[in-house]
Amino acid sequence: MSEQKLKATFINVGLGALTVFIVFIALAPLLWFAPIAFKPQVLAWAMPPKFIFIPTLENFVHVFRNVKSFGAAYKNSVIVSFFTTAISLFLGTTAGYALARSNFRFTKYMGIWIILTRMAPPMIFLLPFYIGLRILHLSGTYIGIIFTYMVITLPFVTWMMASYFQTIPEEIEQSAMIDGCNRIQILFRIAVPVSLPAIVTCTIFSFIYSWNEFLFALIVTGRGTKTVPIMIQGFMSSEGIQWGPLAATSLMVILPVLLVAMINQKGFVRGLIGGAIK
Amino acid sequence: MYFLLLIGPPFLIIFLLTVVPFFYSLFLSTWKMNFAMPGSEKFIGLGNFRYMVTQDPYFWTIMRNTAVQVFGTVSLQVVIGLFLALLFSRATRGINIARSLLMLPMMATPVVIGVIWRFMVNPDFGIVNYILSLLRIPGPDWLGKPGLAMATIIAADVWLSTPFVTIIIIAGISSLPREPFEAATVDGASAWQSFVYVTLPLLSPVIWVAVMFRLIDAFKRFDSIYIMTAGGPGNSTETLNLYAYNNAFTNLDTGYGSALAMFLFFIIAVISVFTIHRVQRGGDA
């Protein structure tokens, strides 16, 4: 091996090691935190910390037995995330299709609209929603929370689907139209099945957004409809934080999003940048 | 006909959800009104904004906190993010897995991220002070002292969101044309020279896109600050977003809270227009 080649190999190994090290740093807080949920109470805060211990489920048992709000909050989060995602997808897909197939250049303005809702601090929507939902007697209801979350998800899904539908050639649809399908049949039988990648992106973005959302939830959820982030915040503010059960709860809360993220990360990232980069 | 049927309901909903609340907020910001004192509502025009900049004893402290938080996080993220993008855009085995793992924490619930950081910097059992103690450095109470609390708040988001900058810049790197680099090599440019004079200018639109989104989100940041310090100690980590929230929902000062939120939106809009301008100018160059 020549000296130059040796040097190149050396640099490559070095950069590879640096990459691994940075990934480790990025994950270190999670890797340190997750095992705490499985630590026995007696060892939990031993100093120096015990990195090797016999894992126990006692923190989880404690959460299920003593923290009554846990099951309810988890159920609320599942309901809210599911319906926010489903309704946004249905309405956003139909509106997106109509946008893509209409002649006027509305889609372009829709993009600006998306960026504006992306820029607006949630505080702008929060007070009007709080007041509006009270007037409609919807404060603290699932419907109220789902509508609030659609501020973010619906414009995004509409625009994302519209830009995807625009890439589908219209000829396929015209031949179906000759065969006697109407626009709505075409949408659901032809356009939707070929747009699966965009639908997956929208689903993942809407789900993760509504699962993680905290600021709106602080105000629009009620006693019976608290979502998981609110439950965790309640844990923090109660006197004498029980760190073990808190760790167990936190782990159960981030697990679903991390799993979904593993399946398709691009969807979420694209959601964050509002489709600014394809 | 079908178009109206398809477009109508969703757009009515989007309109009701976004445009109506915006103008209602704008309307509220011109009133002196407090939920705790019904019946005392009074139209004061720009009075809330005048009070904000001339009389509010906390406003300028809040503005300074906001500026430190936003520009502290974003500048670190751009520098580190650019460096990581160069490292993670190398075509080596397993790089896709490495990228996915790097981005994973970003998806996690922000409230839980706040909890994890409170665990990590806890002076009694946190890992940070344990590592410092191994180096024989006495660990401070990170969230208990004003300057340190702000530094910790900034560090938490640098850790969390730098991969976002990285991923956008990687997208930009993968679409770079080859010719300029070949030309630079032929002309005898060193690796550093071709980075500074070829890579950076070509990447600048993408970098500005990343900067814009990071600035927007840094101004809007709420969850992890609320969980880690709730603006404390004192009001040393209270940013404009938290201050607007506290005014509207703790003091129930609806009018002033709306005015603060509007002001925040105004700042974000101005900064975004500026960065969009940079993106486009970079694209033309």
Side-chain angles (χ1 to χ4, degrees):
Chain A
M1 215 189 276
S2 70
E3 198 180 315
Q4 214 165 15
K5 224 172 175 182
L6 199 72
K7 201 178 150 196
T9 319
F10 195 70
I11 290 175
N12 266 330
V13 169
L15 289 178
L18 187 61
T19 310
V20 171
F21 177 71
I22 285 167
V23 168
F24 173 75
I25 296 284
L27 296 180
L30 297 179
L31 294 175
W32 174 73
F33 181 75
I36 292 174
F38 298 96
K39 265 188 195 177
Q41 288 283 2
V42 278
L43 290 181
W45 313 121
M47 262 299 162
K50 295 257 185 302
F51 291 105
I52 295 158
F53 54 90
I54 302 161
T56 159
L57 290 176
E58 65 180 70
N59 289 322
F60 293 88
V61 172
H62 176 92
V63 171
F64 285 116
R65 277 223 189 108
N66 304 335
V67 187
K68 289 194 194 85
S69 59
F70 177 76
Y74 218 82
K75 189 191 79 186
N76 292 337
S77 271
V78 170
I79 291 174
V80 167
S81 307
F82 177 81
F83 283 103
T84 305
T85 308
I87 298 174
S88 309
L89 269 175
F90 179 76
L91 292 174
T93 305
T94 48
Y97 182 72
L99 271 185
R101 290 288 172 259
S102 57
N103 292 323
F104 43 79
R105 298 188 159 228
F106 205 56
T107 327
K108 203 178 148 196
Y109 298 108
M110 191 71 199
I112 297 171
W113 196 344
I114 304 277
I115 295 285
L116 279 173
T117 52
R118 182 74 176 65
M119 280 175 357
M123 274 303 300
I124 294 245
F125 303 113
L126 203 45
L127 264 173
F129 268 82
Y130 174 71
I131 296 167
L133 291 175
R134 276 217 333 203
I135 293 170
L136 297 170
H137 295 288
L138 284 174
S139 50
T141 64
Y142 290 131
I143 298 174
I145 306 166
I146 291 164
F147 263 87
T148 311
Y149 287 180
M150 277 162 57
V151 172
I152 305 293
T153 58
L154 188 54
F156 171 73
V157 175
T158 306
W159 190 67
M160 186 83 204
M161 293 310 294
S163 9
Y164 201 86
F165 286 140
Q166 275 179 336
T167 64
I168 302 173
E170 259 196 290
E171 289 79 37
I172 310 172
E173 299 181 3
Q174 275 155 5
S175 60
M177 201 119 62
I178 294 164
D179 292 342
C181 291
N182 64 34
R183 277 284 182 189
I184 292 170
Q185 284 171 322
I186 290 172
L187 167 60
F188 287 105
R189 294 202 188 142
I190 297 171
V192 166
V194 297
S195 310
L196 225 56
I199 291 177
V200 170
T201 297
C202 292
T203 309
I204 286 173
F205 175 75
S206 302
F207 172 78
I208 296 186
Y209 170 78
S210 31
W211 186 270
N212 285 348
E213 209 291 324
F214 176 65
L215 176 51
F216 283 139
L218 263 180
I219 298 303
V220 298
T221 60
R223 189 166 293 179
T225 50
K226 285 196 168 79
T227 51
V228 280
I230 302 298
M231 175 196 57
I232 291 183
Q233 187 247 338
F235 245 109
M236 299 296 289
S237 53
S238 60
E239 280 168 50
I241 300 168
Q242 292 178 294
W243 295 95
L246 176 60
T249 314
S250 300
L251 198 61
M252 286 187 278
V253 168
I254 54 171
L255 223 48
V257 270
L258 293 189
L259 285 177
V260 170
M262 292 281 219
I263 303 169
N264 182 325
Q265 243 172 357
K266 281 197 180 125
F268 185 68
V269 175
R270 200 168 293 171
L272 285 177
I273 60 175
I277 292 180
K278 294 266 161 64
Chain B
M1 185 53 214
Y2 285 118
F3 282 135
L4 276 182
L5 198 69
L6 289 173
I7 265 188
F11 275 87
L12 189 68
I13 293 175
I14 296 182
F15 184 77
L16 284 176
L17 286 177
T18 56
V19 180
V20 173
F22 172 79
F23 284 102
Y24 189 56
S25 256
L26 196 61
F27 170 76
L28 286 177
S29 69
T30 59
W31 285 71
K32 184 179 175 62
M33 60 191 295
N34 192 312
F35 272 147
M37 290 177 279
S40 68
E41 293 83 1
K42 201 171 112 199
F43 178 79
I44 51 170
L46 293 175
N48 282 321
F49 296 94
R50 201 177 306 126
Y51 173 79
M52 196 186 292
V53 289
T54 57
Q55 280 170 294
D56 185 341
Y58 303 110
F59 181 72
W60 292 106
T61 312
I62 301 296
M63 286 302 285
R64 205 195 57 209
N65 293 343
T66 311
V68 171
Q69 195 267 132
V70 169
F71 296 107
T73 28
V74 177
S75 54
L76 284 170
Q77 283 167 344
V78 170
V79 174
I80 303 173
L82 179 62
F83 165 74
L84 293 187
L86 296 174
L87 187 65
F88 281 78
S89 60
R90 296 180 336 126
T92 50
R93 219 181 319 140
I95 199 74
N96 282 329
I97 298 172
R99 279 185 208 162
S100 300
L101 290 175
L102 185 70
M103 288 200 301
L104 203 58
M106 234 162 65
M107 323 285 164
T109 313
V111 169
V112 173
I113 295 299
V115 170
I116 294 178
W117 274 78
R118 271 190 62 170
F119 269 72
M120 288 203 305
V121 300
N122 186 297
D124 297 326
F125 53 75
I127 187 79
V128 173
N129 280 5
Y130 171 68
I131 293 172
L132 288 179
S133 77
L134 293 182
L135 305 169
R136 305 202 174 279
I137 301 168
D141 179 6
W142 294 95
L143 296 174
K145 297 202 182 69
L148 273 178
M150 182 54 95
T152 312
I153 293 281
I154 290 174
D157 201 56
V158 168
W159 167 75
L160 184 69
S161 305
T162 298
F164 174 78
V165 177
T166 305
I167 230 67
I168 292 186
I169 298 179
I170 286 178
I173 290 178
S174 63
S175 60
L176 284 180
R178 289 192 113 178
E179 296 80 26
F181 293 95
E182 283 159 7
T185 316
V186 170
D187 291 347
S190 69
W192 174 249
Q193 280 171 328
S194 79
F195 173 71
V196 173
Y197 296 109
V198 185
T199 314
L200 273 186
L202 285 174
L203 280 181
S204 88
V206 179
I207 295 175
W208 280 107
V209 168
V211 168
M212 181 183 78
F213 281 108
R214 278 310 315 146
L215 282 175
I216 292 177
D217 284 339
F219 273 109
K220 282 165 65 178
R221 186 175 171 206
F222 183 87
D223 307 8
S224 50
I225 300 180
Y226 192 82
I227 294 293
M228 283 167 75
T229 63
N235 58 6
S236 62
T237 55
E238 190 169 6
T239 56
L240 196 49
N241 204 17
L242 270 84
Y243 190 58
Y245 176 86
N246 285 335
N247 269 287
F249 293 102
T250 311
N251 305 342
L252 300 177
D253 195 338
T254 325
Y256 195 50
S258 297
L260 287 165
M262 276 294 153
F263 184 69
L264 177 59
F265 187 34
F266 175 74
I267 297 178
I268 296 177
V270 167
I271 288 183
S272 301
V273 167
F274 171 76
T275 45
I276 289 172
H277 181 70
R278 296 306 293 253
V279 171
Q280 282 166 345
R281 213 175 64 181
D284 294 337

